[in-house]
Amino acid sequence: MSVPEPYLGNPQKTIEILQKYKFVFQKRYGQNFLIDPHVLQKIIRSAKVTKEDFVMEIGPGIGTMTQYLAAAAREVVAVEIDKALIPILEDTLEGFENVTVLNEDILKVDIPRLAEERNAGRPIKVVANLPYYITTPIIMGLFENGVPLESLTIMVQKEVAERMKVGPGTKDYGALSLAIQYYARPELMANVPPNCFMPRPKVGSAVIQLIRHENPPVEVKNEALMFRMIRASFNQRRKTLLNSLTNATDLPFTKEELTIALEKLGWPVNIRGEALTLEEFAQLSNLLV
Ligand code: SAM
């Protein structure tokens, strides 16, 4: 893969650009820029980007990964919230004809429309070194809002990557694990230490790939209901499933209805939500729909 100058994926080039524009890192935007070419190549290879692909990058920063993506993809749209980065991106992405930078908050972008306009509604690839303060809303927004998705190849906090992969019986198991497993197959691509970023984050990171399932692994009559039940169960982790679901204001069930459902399924009435698999949450919600 050839990336024309200015090639940014190393500490010297990054510092040069930051100094040229007197850029000040904004902690509130989760800005940790990648400065390791091996990690960048690993991400691009994992994402299997080809000249057929439309890629959306979330948070291009100074454009380090965007250059690689532009060299590999047919078209790239990069969404960056920080307006101080826009003149920098104009500079670093000059000459890349297939890149558009949008100065917007990713949580407010109409991504299905973008996919419709730029990729004829076909599934898109998302590649990003995500801002960690909004990892979950970004991922859940992509899955829940009808974005046509092929895959997400994303850098996240190591701990979040763990949470996506685990099942019942582990402390990391939660609503995110279940949602990810319902929508996609998660695969860990690489662990990335803090020294691959500038400034260094306090936590370890990991590249994870989520390949969207063609069909969800379980049959659910009412997805929204199942996810309300999942969220309620993990909001009050130490409570029994029965109490968590009865207390949830966005669920209409009485204690009696829930007790009958648990009995029908042959589950103990004191079972906790954290003991249930995705399949079991599907069974319970299908019974109550
Ligand atoms: N991609 C760059 C890299 O790898 O060096 C930067 C990654 S940095 C972890 C996250 C980027 O996301 C920053 O550039 C930050 O300004 C941007 N960002 C933060 N919140 C955002 C939001 N709500 N919408 C779009 N971009 C956001």
Side-chain angles (χ1 to χ4, degrees):
M1 172 199 331
S2 71
V3 178
E5 290 291 317
Y7 165 72
L8 298 166
N10 65 56
Q12 295 75 20
K13 276 283 181 192
T14 300
I15 289 171
E16 220 175 87
I17 290 284
L18 297 177
Q19 286 180 343
K20 179 173 168 192
Y21 288 91
K22 298 188 175 57
F23 179 75
V24 181
F25 285 100
Q26 299 285 337
K27 227 176 165 177
R28 69 192 159 120
Y29 289 147
Q31 292 175 338
N32 300 97
F33 297 163
L34 265 169
I35 52 167
D36 186 313
H38 301 292
V39 175
L40 285 153
Q41 272 154 9
K42 176 86 194 169
I43 295 173
I44 305 297
R45 269 203 307 274
S46 303
K48 298 191 185 72
V49 176
T50 73
K51 280 288 164 197
E52 307 276 289
D53 289 324
F54 170 83
V55 176
M56 187 176 74
E57 186 189 10
I58 299 164
I62 60 170
T64 310
M65 195 155 73
T66 326
Q67 292 188 340
Y68 283 81
L69 290 171
R74 186 191 85 235
E75 185 179 350
V76 180
V77 167
V79 182
E80 174 55 61
I81 197 169
D82 186 354
K83 68 176 185 314
L85 286 166
I86 303 306
I88 303 184
L89 287 163
E90 275 165 16
D91 178 352
T92 60
L93 298 176
E94 202 192 343
F96 290 93
E97 305 294 333
N98 57 345
V99 181
T100 309
V101 175
L102 303 179
N103 182 202
E104 285 183 51
D105 178 349
I106 188 65
L107 298 179
K108 297 190 181 140
V109 174
D110 185 346
I111 307 170
R113 201 172 111 201
L114 201 70
E116 189 56 53
E117 287 172 0
R118 310 272 181 140
N119 206 37
R122 290 192 308 273
I124 65 169
K125 287 183 175 166
V126 174
V127 184
N129 170 16
L130 287 179
Y132 294 169
Y133 74 106
I134 43 169
T135 302
T136 302
I138 290 177
I139 298 175
M140 295 318 297
L142 288 169
F143 283 127
E144 287 177 350
N145 299 338
V147 177
L149 276 180
E150 183 177 333
S151 64
L152 271 80
T153 308
I154 45 178
M155 179 86 70
V156 297
Q157 233 171 292
K158 193 160 184 276
E159 188 203 310
V160 175
E162 298 293 330
R163 250 187 272 155
M164 290 180 188
K165 296 176 56 187
V166 293
T170 53
K171 71 168 176 30
D172 289 332
Y173 187 54
L176 182 67
S177 329
L178 284 155
I180 295 297
Q181 290 159 28
Y182 180 72
Y183 289 112
R185 182 167 53 80
E187 195 176 329
L188 181 70
M189 308 309 277
N191 283 314
V192 184
N195 62 5
C196 295
F197 301 87
M198 185 182 293
R200 293 180 186 199
K202 289 198 180 69
V203 291
S205 302
V207 178
I208 196 149
Q209 185 161 57
L210 306 173
I211 308 274
R212 194 185 179 117
H213 292 309
E214 257 175 50
N215 296 301
V218 294
E219 231 172 85
V220 181
K221 291 184 191 156
N222 183 337
E223 272 178 21
L225 173 69
M226 180 179 78
F227 281 109
R228 280 205 300 278
M229 293 174 71
I230 289 174
R231 270 191 285 269
S233 310
F234 287 96
N235 271 347
Q236 299 180 305
R237 237 188 138 96
R238 308 312 305 162
K239 291 218 162 105
T240 62
L241 180 67
L242 189 59
N243 283 338
S244 304
L245 299 185
T246 314
N247 292 347
T249 50
D250 60 349
L251 291 172
F253 312 118
T254 63
K255 202 161 201 154
E256 289 66 37
E257 286 168 324
L258 289 163
T259 310
I260 292 170
L262 294 183
E263 277 167 2
K264 265 197 194 154
L265 290 163
W267 301 347
V269 284
N270 63 351
I271 196 168
R272 292 212 180 119
E274 63 187 9
L276 302 191
T277 60
L278 177 62
E279 172 82 51
E280 288 166 333
F281 272 111
Q283 281 176 352
L284 179 62
S285 74
N286 286 344
L287 207 59
L288 288 161
V289 78

